[in-house]
Amino acid sequence: MRIIVTGGNGKLGRAVVAHLKETGHEVFVFDRVAAREPGYFPVDLTDYGQVLDAVLGLEEHHSGVDAIVHLAAVPAPGIVPDVATFDNNVPSTYHVLQAARRAGIKRIVTASSETVLGLPFDIDPPYIPVDEAYDARPESTYSLGKHLEEQLEIQLCRWDPELSITAMRFSNVMEPGDYAAFPSWQDDATLRRWNLWGYIDARDAADAVLKALEVRGPGFERMIIANADTVMERPSAELAAEVFPDVPVTKQLEGRETLLSIETARRLLGWEPSHSWRDELGR
């Protein structure tokens, strides 16, 4: 496929671009700060004219694409003022989706966020493991934007029954170099309670994106993308009982399994994470 990846210079974007290229796809990266190398283009996604023009064609580089992976965003709360987060993220997503509609592109993957589940869980989640079944609980402007983007995508897929949009609620993205910090969290279970001790290896996240592009049919779907284990060495049942004693646990928790349910991605994509921080550190 010929695939546009927005935000391809970001932490997740780099892994996605590399994986798509390794599996034989042609990738065009749109990023406000683009690398000076073939296939990278500086596009301001807050400017719809630039987005539409670049999606429709870029001189001799491309005259149309098959799919878009939209990752570009202010990536977390508190990096810039709230209004700047909203003014960048929500309009940019609308511009990318609208340009895709105008260009006839039917296959799209977007970066949603685990934050819509209620992070940082100052209010207990309704149950553990959390999944996509309960209503979104955004607790920040960043998360509110991600929720609104999902709602936008639902309606666009209603308008166009052939359109496929997969919103991936990525957990905290980690690269192998980040795993050196994990041992420092082991003595205090509250340090990572804010996302139920979850994470996603960037390489596994990239594979989820690829699988969504390959196998997802028409319609909207949201799915949590997290690693199969937690960031902790203690058993997950023990963590849940200690830190969230009043929260119902809906299944028997085995070992260090994730408390961010990835059953939807497993079922719909045939996806299974294959990396773990334990392998990287030999634990």
Side-chain angles (χ1 to χ4, degrees):
M1 290 180 282
R2 297 162 299 165
I3 305 167
I4 290 169
V5 177
T6 72
N9 280 329
K11 192 175 193 177
L12 176 56
R14 292 191 297 270
V16 169
V17 169
H19 192 48
L20 293 178
K21 288 182 175 179
E22 287 166 0
T23 50
H25 301 288
E26 187 175 7
V27 179
F28 307 96
V29 175
F30 292 0
D31 202 302
R32 188 176 293 178
V33 181
R36 295 181 66 86
E37 59 182 87
Y40 285 74
F41 306 96
V43 179
D44 182 355
L45 300 182
T46 66
D47 181 337
Y48 177 63
Q50 287 192 39
V51 177
L52 178 61
D53 194 39
V55 167
L56 289 173
L58 273 164
E59 300 294 340
E60 74 278 9
H61 302 291
H62 84 82
S63 57
V65 299
D66 304 300
I68 295 179
V69 178
H70 176 47
L71 308 177
V74 175
I79 296 175
V80 297
D82 288 346
V83 69
T85 299
F86 192 93
D87 284 351
N88 181 84
N89 290 4
V90 178
S92 293
T93 296
Y94 177 73
H95 293 164
V96 169
L97 296 176
Q98 179 71 352
R101 293 180 64 228
R102 296 299 187 217
I105 298 166
K106 304 296 186 182
R107 197 173 311 180
I108 302 171
V109 175
T110 65
S112 187
S113 169
E114 64 180 356
T115 61
V116 301
L117 298 166
L119 276 62
F121 293 123
D122 292 334
I123 300 172
D124 284 351
Y127 48 80
I128 289 174
V130 298
D131 58 22
E132 304 88 353
Y134 65 91
D135 290 341
R137 293 171 41 180
E139 302 289 355
S140 67
T141 296
Y142 167 81
S143 183
L144 177 62
K146 291 299 182 182
H147 170 59
L148 295 176
E149 290 167 27
E150 287 188 4
Q151 297 306 302
L152 168 64
E153 292 159 11
I154 290 169
Q155 299 307 319
L156 293 182
C157 287
R158 181 176 64 85
W159 289 359
D160 182 355
E162 295 181 358
L163 182 60
S164 172
I165 302 180
T166 308
M168 296 196 154
R169 293 177 172 180
F170 292 110
S171 188
N172 190 191
V173 177
M174 299 289 182
E175 296 174 323
D178 296 322
Y179 293 139
F182 281 35
S184 68
W185 301 331
Q186 302 307 316
D187 294 335
D188 185 352
T190 66
L191 291 176
R192 296 281 304 192
R193 74 181 297 280
W194 55 271
N195 79 334
L196 297 179
W197 308 281
Y199 75 108
I200 180 63
D201 187 289
R203 295 164 293 182
D204 286 319
D207 191 51
V209 169
L210 175 62
K211 283 184 167 52
L213 292 173
E214 290 177 337
V215 309
R216 275 273 292 123
F220 173 82
E221 192 65 58
R222 59 174 70 88
M223 55 187 68
I224 297 169
I225 302 296
N227 267 73
D229 60 347
T230 71
V231 304
M232 301 295 284
E233 293 180 341
R234 293 172 58 188
S236 297
E238 183 180 309
L239 294 169
E242 176 184 326
V243 181
F244 296 99
D246 299 323
V247 176
V249 177
T250 60
K251 59 167 289 188
Q252 183 173 338
L253 298 173
E254 302 291 342
R256 304 179 184 96
E257 73 169 287
T258 180
L259 302 179
L260 303 171
S261 174
I262 56 175
E263 294 308 311
T264 299
R266 283 170 163 156
R267 174 171 52 86
L268 296 182
L269 304 183
W271 172 75
E272 186 65 36
S274 59
H275 299 87
S276 171
W277 70 277
R278 302 169 214 283
D279 299 328
E280 294 289 337
L281 298 185
R283 300 174 82 96

PDB file of all heavy atoms in Angstrom, residues 257-277:
ATOM      1  N   GLU A 257      -0.642 -10.300  34.023  1.00  0.00           N
ATOM      2  CA  GLU A 257      -1.367  -9.910  32.820  1.00  0.00           C
ATOM      3  C   GLU A 257      -1.855  -8.472  32.904  1.00  0.00           C
ATOM      4  O   GLU A 257      -2.110  -7.928  33.976  1.00  0.00           O
ATOM      5  CB  GLU A 257      -2.540 -10.842  32.555  1.00  0.00           C
ATOM      6  CG  GLU A 257      -3.721 -10.687  33.489  1.00  0.00           C
ATOM      7  CD  GLU A 257      -4.940 -11.460  33.004  1.00  0.00           C
ATOM      8  OE1 GLU A 257      -5.560 -11.028  32.023  1.00  0.00           O
ATOM      9  OE2 GLU A 257      -5.247 -12.494  33.625  1.00  0.00           O
ATOM     10  N   THR A 258      -1.997  -7.856  31.738  1.00  0.00           N
ATOM     11  CA  THR A 258      -2.424  -6.473  31.657  1.00  0.00           C
ATOM     12  C   THR A 258      -3.807  -6.281  32.272  1.00  0.00           C
ATOM     13  O   THR A 258      -4.677  -7.146  32.180  1.00  0.00           O
ATOM     14  CB  THR A 258      -2.445  -5.997  30.195  1.00  0.00           C
ATOM     15  OG1 THR A 258      -2.879  -4.628  30.154  1.00  0.00           O
ATOM     16  CG2 THR A 258      -3.368  -6.849  29.332  1.00  0.00           C
ATOM     17  N   LEU A 259      -3.996  -5.113  32.899  1.00  0.00           N
ATOM     18  CA  LEU A 259      -5.302  -4.711  33.402  1.00  0.00           C
ATOM     19  C   LEU A 259      -5.992  -3.765  32.438  1.00  0.00           C
ATOM     20  O   LEU A 259      -7.083  -3.259  32.724  1.00  0.00           O
ATOM     21  CB  LEU A 259      -5.163  -4.071  34.783  1.00  0.00           C
ATOM     22  CG  LEU A 259      -4.516  -4.979  35.838  1.00  0.00           C
ATOM     23  CD1 LEU A 259      -4.403  -4.268  37.173  1.00  0.00           C
ATOM     24  CD2 LEU A 259      -5.282  -6.274  35.988  1.00  0.00           C
ATOM     25  N   LEU A 260      -5.372  -3.530  31.294  1.00  0.00           N
ATOM     26  CA  LEU A 260      -5.977  -2.802  30.172  1.00  0.00           C
ATOM     27  C   LEU A 260      -6.345  -3.861  29.138  1.00  0.00           C
ATOM     28  O   LEU A 260      -5.487  -4.338  28.396  1.00  0.00           O
ATOM     29  CB  LEU A 260      -4.998  -1.793  29.573  1.00  0.00           C
ATOM     30  CG  LEU A 260      -4.424  -0.737  30.523  1.00  0.00           C
ATOM     31  CD1 LEU A 260      -3.313   0.048  29.826  1.00  0.00           C
ATOM     32  CD2 LEU A 260      -5.510   0.207  31.017  1.00  0.00           C
ATOM     33  N   SER A 261      -7.581  -4.270  29.088  1.00  0.00           N
ATOM     34  CA  SER A 261      -7.973  -5.408  28.260  1.00  0.00           C
ATOM     35  C   SER A 261      -7.634  -5.184  26.788  1.00  0.00           C
ATOM     36  O   SER A 261      -8.013  -4.165  26.201  1.00  0.00           O
ATOM     37  CB  SER A 261      -9.465  -5.674  28.391  1.00  0.00           C
ATOM     38  OG  SER A 261      -9.861  -6.696  27.484  1.00  0.00           O
ATOM     39  N   ILE A 262      -6.947  -6.154  26.190  1.00  0.00           N
ATOM     40  CA  ILE A 262      -6.615  -6.085  24.767  1.00  0.00           C
ATOM     41  C   ILE A 262      -7.360  -7.159  23.981  1.00  0.00           C
ATOM     42  O   ILE A 262      -6.972  -7.509  22.862  1.00  0.00           O
ATOM     43  CB  ILE A 262      -5.096  -6.179  24.539  1.00  0.00           C
ATOM     44  CG1 ILE A 262      -4.514  -7.457  25.175  1.00  0.00           C
ATOM     45  CG2 ILE A 262      -4.396  -4.952  25.109  1.00  0.00           C
ATOM     46  CD1 ILE A 262      -3.030  -7.662  24.875  1.00  0.00           C
ATOM     47  N   GLU A 263      -8.451  -7.644  24.545  1.00  0.00           N
ATOM     48  CA  GLU A 263      -9.198  -8.716  23.888  1.00  0.00           C
ATOM     49  C   GLU A 263      -9.828  -8.260  22.576  1.00  0.00           C
ATOM     50  O   GLU A 263      -9.952  -9.057  21.635  1.00  0.00           O
ATOM     51  CB  GLU A 263     -10.259  -9.266  24.837  1.00  0.00           C
ATOM     52  CG  GLU A 263      -9.672  -9.978  26.050  1.00  0.00           C
ATOM     53  CD  GLU A 263      -8.650 -11.039  25.662  1.00  0.00           C
ATOM     54  OE1 GLU A 263      -8.952 -11.866  24.773  1.00  0.00           O
ATOM     55  OE2 GLU A 263      -7.542 -11.024  26.238  1.00  0.00           O
ATOM     56  N   THR A 264     -10.248  -7.009  22.486  1.00  0.00           N
ATOM     57  CA  THR A 264     -10.841  -6.522  21.233  1.00  0.00           C
ATOM     58  C   THR A 264      -9.829  -6.575  20.103  1.00  0.00           C
ATOM     59  O   THR A 264     -10.124  -7.050  18.993  1.00  0.00           O
ATOM     60  CB  THR A 264     -11.387  -5.103  21.400  1.00  0.00           C
ATOM     61  OG1 THR A 264     -12.406  -5.099  22.400  1.00  0.00           O
ATOM     62  CG2 THR A 264     -11.968  -4.589  20.091  1.00  0.00           C
ATOM     63  N   ALA A 265      -8.628  -6.086  20.355  1.00  0.00           N
ATOM     64  CA  ALA A 265      -7.588  -6.112  19.320  1.00  0.00           C
ATOM     65  C   ALA A 265      -7.188  -7.534  18.969  1.00  0.00           C
ATOM     66  O   ALA A 265      -6.944  -7.855  17.802  1.00  0.00           O
ATOM     67  CB  ALA A 265      -6.375  -5.311  19.782  1.00  0.00           C
ATOM     68  N   ARG A 266      -7.136  -8.394  19.959  1.00  0.00           N
ATOM     69  CA  ARG A 266      -6.831  -9.793  19.680  1.00  0.00           C
ATOM     70  C   ARG A 266      -7.901 -10.409  18.776  1.00  0.00           C
ATOM     71  O   ARG A 266      -7.596 -11.122  17.815  1.00  0.00           O
ATOM     72  CB  ARG A 266      -6.739 -10.565  20.989  1.00  0.00           C
ATOM     73  CG  ARG A 266      -5.449 -10.360  21.758  1.00  0.00           C
ATOM     74  CD  ARG A 266      -5.519 -10.951  23.144  1.00  0.00           C
ATOM     75  NE  ARG A 266      -4.194 -11.121  23.745  1.00  0.00           N
ATOM     76  CZ  ARG A 266      -3.984 -11.169  25.053  1.00  0.00           C
ATOM     77  NH1 ARG A 266      -4.997 -11.062  25.898  1.00  0.00           N
ATOM     78  NH2 ARG A 266      -2.756 -11.333  25.519  1.00  0.00           N
ATOM     79  N   ARG A 267      -9.147 -10.131  19.107  1.00  0.00           N
ATOM     80  CA  ARG A 267     -10.254 -10.770  18.384  1.00  0.00           C
ATOM     81  C   ARG A 267     -10.413 -10.214  16.977  1.00  0.00           C
ATOM     82  O   ARG A 267     -10.599 -10.970  16.013  1.00  0.00           O
ATOM     83  CB  ARG A 267     -11.552 -10.564  19.178  1.00  0.00           C
ATOM     84  CG  ARG A 267     -12.819 -11.040  18.485  1.00  0.00           C
ATOM     85  CD  ARG A 267     -13.995 -10.983  19.444  1.00  0.00           C
ATOM     86  NE  ARG A 267     -14.124  -9.699  20.082  1.00  0.00           N
ATOM     87  CZ  ARG A 267     -14.789  -8.663  19.563  1.00  0.00           C
ATOM     88  NH1 ARG A 267     -15.365  -8.764  18.376  1.00  0.00           N
ATOM     89  NH2 ARG A 267     -14.873  -7.514  20.224  1.00  0.00           N
ATOM     90  N   LEU A 268     -10.328  -8.897  16.831  1.00  0.00           N
ATOM     91  CA  LEU A 268     -10.620  -8.277  15.540  1.00  0.00           C
ATOM     92  C   LEU A 268      -9.410  -8.219  14.608  1.00  0.00           C
ATOM     93  O   LEU A 268      -9.580  -8.223  13.385  1.00  0.00           O
ATOM     94  CB  LEU A 268     -11.171  -6.868  15.740  1.00  0.00           C
ATOM     95  CG  LEU A 268     -12.521  -6.775  16.463  1.00  0.00           C
ATOM     96  CD1 LEU A 268     -12.959  -5.325  16.548  1.00  0.00           C
ATOM     97  CD2 LEU A 268     -13.583  -7.609  15.760  1.00  0.00           C
ATOM     98  N   LEU A 269      -8.227  -8.162  15.170  1.00  0.00           N
ATOM     99  CA  LEU A 269      -7.028  -8.010  14.344  1.00  0.00           C
ATOM    100  C   LEU A 269      -6.167  -9.263  14.294  1.00  0.00           C
ATOM    101  O   LEU A 269      -5.271  -9.362  13.453  1.00  0.00           O
ATOM    102  CB  LEU A 269      -6.165  -6.848  14.860  1.00  0.00           C
ATOM    103  CG  LEU A 269      -6.819  -5.479  14.986  1.00  0.00           C
ATOM    104  CD1 LEU A 269      -5.788  -4.457  15.451  1.00  0.00           C
ATOM    105  CD2 LEU A 269      -7.456  -5.044  13.673  1.00  0.00           C
ATOM    106  N   GLY A 270      -6.405 -10.207  15.197  1.00  0.00           N
ATOM    107  CA  GLY A 270      -5.474 -11.319  15.318  1.00  0.00           C
ATOM    108  C   GLY A 270      -4.115 -10.859  15.814  1.00  0.00           C
ATOM    109  O   GLY A 270      -3.086 -11.474  15.528  1.00  0.00           O
ATOM    110  N   TRP A 271      -4.127  -9.770  16.586  1.00  0.00           N
ATOM    111  CA  TRP A 271      -2.888  -9.148  17.067  1.00  0.00           C
ATOM    112  C   TRP A 271      -2.498  -9.697  18.422  1.00  0.00           C
ATOM    113  O   TRP A 271      -3.357  -9.928  19.271  1.00  0.00           O
ATOM    114  CB  TRP A 271      -3.086  -7.634  17.161  1.00  0.00           C
ATOM    115  CG  TRP A 271      -1.966  -6.877  17.810  1.00  0.00           C
ATOM    116  CD1 TRP A 271      -0.747  -6.591  17.267  1.00  0.00           C
ATOM    117  CD2 TRP A 271      -1.964  -6.296  19.122  1.00  0.00           C
ATOM    118  NE1 TRP A 271       0.014  -5.857  18.152  1.00  0.00           N
ATOM    119  CE2 TRP A 271      -0.712  -5.671  19.304  1.00  0.00           C
ATOM    120  CE3 TRP A 271      -2.909  -6.248  20.159  1.00  0.00           C
ATOM    121  CZ2 TRP A 271      -0.375  -4.995  20.484  1.00  0.00           C
ATOM    122  CZ3 TRP A 271      -2.572  -5.587  21.333  1.00  0.00           C
ATOM    123  CH2 TRP A 271      -1.320  -4.970  21.489  1.00  0.00           C
ATOM    124  N   GLU A 272      -1.210  -9.904  18.612  1.00  0.00           N
ATOM    125  CA  GLU A 272      -0.696 -10.327  19.910  1.00  0.00           C
ATOM    126  C   GLU A 272       0.655  -9.647  20.124  1.00  0.00           C
ATOM    127  O   GLU A 272       1.567  -9.788  19.296  1.00  0.00           O
ATOM    128  CB  GLU A 272      -0.521 -11.843  19.969  1.00  0.00           C
ATOM    129  CG  GLU A 272      -0.129 -12.378  21.327  1.00  0.00           C
ATOM    130  CD  GLU A 272      -1.220 -12.166  22.380  1.00  0.00           C
ATOM    131  OE1 GLU A 272      -2.417 -12.265  22.033  1.00  0.00           O
ATOM    132  OE2 GLU A 272      -0.873 -11.915  23.552  1.00  0.00           O
ATOM    133  N   PRO A 273       0.804  -8.879  21.217  1.00  0.00           N
ATOM    134  CA  PRO A 273       2.106  -8.259  21.466  1.00  0.00           C
ATOM    135  C   PRO A 273       3.193  -9.309  21.674  1.00  0.00           C
ATOM    136  O   PRO A 273       2.949 -10.347  22.291  1.00  0.00           O
ATOM    137  CB  PRO A 273       1.877  -7.422  22.734  1.00  0.00           C
ATOM    138  CG  PRO A 273       0.551  -7.817  23.273  1.00  0.00           C
ATOM    139  CD  PRO A 273      -0.202  -8.542  22.225  1.00  0.00           C
ATOM    140  N   SER A 274       4.372  -9.035  21.157  1.00  0.00           N
ATOM    141  CA  SER A 274       5.448 -10.027  21.208  1.00  0.00           C
ATOM    142  C   SER A 274       6.679  -9.532  21.962  1.00  0.00           C
ATOM    143  O   SER A 274       7.667 -10.268  22.073  1.00  0.00           O
ATOM    144  CB  SER A 274       5.857 -10.436  19.788  1.00  0.00           C
ATOM    145  OG  SER A 274       6.302  -9.317  19.047  1.00  0.00           O
ATOM    146  N   HIS A 275       6.631  -8.308  22.472  1.00  0.00           N
ATOM    147  CA  HIS A 275       7.767  -7.760  23.206  1.00  0.00           C
ATOM    148  C   HIS A 275       7.373  -7.514  24.663  1.00  0.00           C
ATOM    149  O   HIS A 275       6.207  -7.253  24.961  1.00  0.00           O
ATOM    150  CB  HIS A 275       8.246  -6.451  22.579  1.00  0.00           C
ATOM    151  CG  HIS A 275       8.702  -6.582  21.172  1.00  0.00           C
ATOM    152  ND1 HIS A 275       7.843  -6.489  20.091  1.00  0.00           N
ATOM    153  CD2 HIS A 275       9.926  -6.828  20.648  1.00  0.00           C
ATOM    154  CE1 HIS A 275       8.517  -6.654  18.973  1.00  0.00           C
ATOM    155  NE2 HIS A 275       9.780  -6.872  19.274  1.00  0.00           N
ATOM    156  N   SER A 276       8.336  -7.564  25.546  1.00  0.00           N
ATOM    157  CA  SER A 276       8.112  -7.274  26.956  1.00  0.00           C
ATOM    158  C   SER A 276       9.364  -6.645  27.546  1.00  0.00           C
ATOM    159  O   SER A 276      10.485  -7.002  27.155  1.00  0.00           O
ATOM    160  CB  SER A 276       7.773  -8.549  27.737  1.00  0.00           C
ATOM    161  OG  SER A 276       7.769  -8.297  29.141  1.00  0.00           O
ATOM    162  N   TRP A 277       9.150  -5.739  28.489  1.00  0.00           N
ATOM    163  CA  TRP A 277      10.289  -5.134  29.160  1.00  0.00           C
ATOM    164  C   TRP A 277      11.116  -6.182  29.898  1.00  0.00           C
ATOM    165  O   TRP A 277      12.327  -6.028  30.059  1.00  0.00           O
ATOM    166  CB  TRP A 277       9.832  -4.048  30.116  1.00  0.00           C
ATOM    167  CG  TRP A 277       9.103  -4.532  31.356  1.00  0.00           C
ATOM    168  CD1 TRP A 277       7.775  -4.859  31.458  1.00  0.00           C
ATOM    169  CD2 TRP A 277       9.665  -4.735  32.659  1.00  0.00           C
ATOM    170  NE1 TRP A 277       7.479  -5.242  32.742  1.00  0.00           N
ATOM    171  CE2 TRP A 277       8.625  -5.174  33.509  1.00  0.00           C
ATOM    172  CE3 TRP A 277      10.943  -4.583  33.184  1.00  0.00           C
ATOM    173  CZ2 TRP A 277       8.819  -5.462  34.858  1.00  0.00           C
ATOM    174  CZ3 TRP A 277      11.159  -4.866  34.538  1.00  0.00           C
ATOM    175  CH2 TRP A 277      10.095  -5.304  35.350  1.00  0.00           C
TER     176      TRP A 277
END
